[in-house]
Amino acid sequence: MACRECPIGQYATQSVVGQGKLKPRLMLVGEQPGDQEDLQGHPFVGPAGRLLARALAQAGIAPEDTFVSNAVKHFKFELRGKRRIHKSPTQREAAACLHWLEDEIRLVKPRALVALGATAARSLLGRAVPVMLLRGQWLAREDGLRVLVTLHPSALLRVREEREAAFEAYVRDLAQAALPPA
Ligand code: URA
């Protein structure tokens, strides 16, 4: 809550840490809390979270088998009138938050990780990852934990054409995570 290791924290309502099962089959990591998550204090409770829940259900992944979290623990936004518009965290901000994420991974002890989008992939793997090229594939961290890379659910909310096909491709990515490699 009191973290000021980067400038984001002072403007957010609260920090939003991960939530879910300990020792889960999968720990899914997004970018940062959105507007709803910032207000409610829980990860993935807004529109992106609803889309993710629907995709996970179709991929055969039960919420009870997961822990969901974010690479950055505070909401970063820009005020436009009364609206708070999401702004992506900078690399420095994500790097400042990394030790919180790594502490979570150590405490939660997931069998495998899912990186939802480029910010999460960079934080989890320690390097820039071409998400569109490697989506649906398992990569490995230095500590041996496997990371499945896919898109952030917000990217699907922005799709204008062939939304159904984009959603089905997302479910196919996540279905890889339903069977983590041994
Ligand atoms: N987007 C994220 O990356 N995380 C959330 O918790 C909500 C939206």
Side-chain angles (χ1 to χ4, degrees):
M1 284 294 178
C3 181
R4 297 293 180 265
E5 290 170 49
C6 86
I8 305 179
Q10 61 189 307
Y11 304 110
T13 308
Q14 56 195 317
S15 59
V16 180
V17 297
Q19 190 172 307
K21 187 183 191 287
L22 297 180
K23 298 194 181 166
R25 201 141 67 102
L26 294 171
M27 174 167 166
L28 297 117
V29 180
E31 182 193 69
Q32 63 172 344
D35 182 69
Q36 286 301 311
E37 290 78 14
D38 172 74
L39 295 172
Q40 296 183 39
H42 302 289
F44 284 108
V45 290
R50 285 193 288 278
L51 188 143
L52 178 64
R54 199 155 56 85
L56 286 171
Q58 283 206 25
I61 297 167
E64 309 81 63
D65 284 341
T66 66
F67 185 94
V68 287
S69 193
N70 284 298
V72 171
K73 307 302 181 195
H74 284 118
F75 176 41
K76 182 177 179 183
F77 60 92
E78 188 179 282
L79 264 184
R80 271 197 224 143
K82 286 191 180 151
R83 291 185 62 209
R84 303 192 305 168
I85 309 295
H86 160 276
K87 275 191 88 175
S88 289
T90 62
Q91 260 182 52
R92 281 179 77 173
E93 289 158 349
C97 227
L98 184 59
H99 68 98
W100 296 116
L101 178 64
E102 291 295 337
D103 279 350
E104 258 184 336
I105 294 170
R106 266 192 298 279
L107 290 167
V108 171
K109 297 187 174 41
R111 275 180 37 203
L113 296 159
V114 179
L116 302 169
T119 301
R122 178 185 268 276
S123 287
L124 290 173
L125 288 152
R127 62 187 162 87
V129 176
V131 171
M132 292 310 285
L133 206 64
L134 298 180
R135 63 181 292 186
Q137 294 188 35
W138 286 103
L139 307 179
R141 281 162 47 100
E142 276 179 8
D143 63 3
L145 259 179
R146 300 300 187 105
V147 184
L148 184 95
V149 175
T150 187
L151 310 185
H152 191 281
S154 297
L156 292 156
L157 292 173
R158 290 192 294 269
V159 169
R160 290 278 158 257
E161 284 166 26
E162 309 204 14
R163 291 186 85 146
E164 208 38 53
F167 183 74
E168 280 165 21
Y170 196 48
V171 171
R172 279 197 299 279
D173 285 358
L174 291 170
Q176 300 297 317
L179 302 164

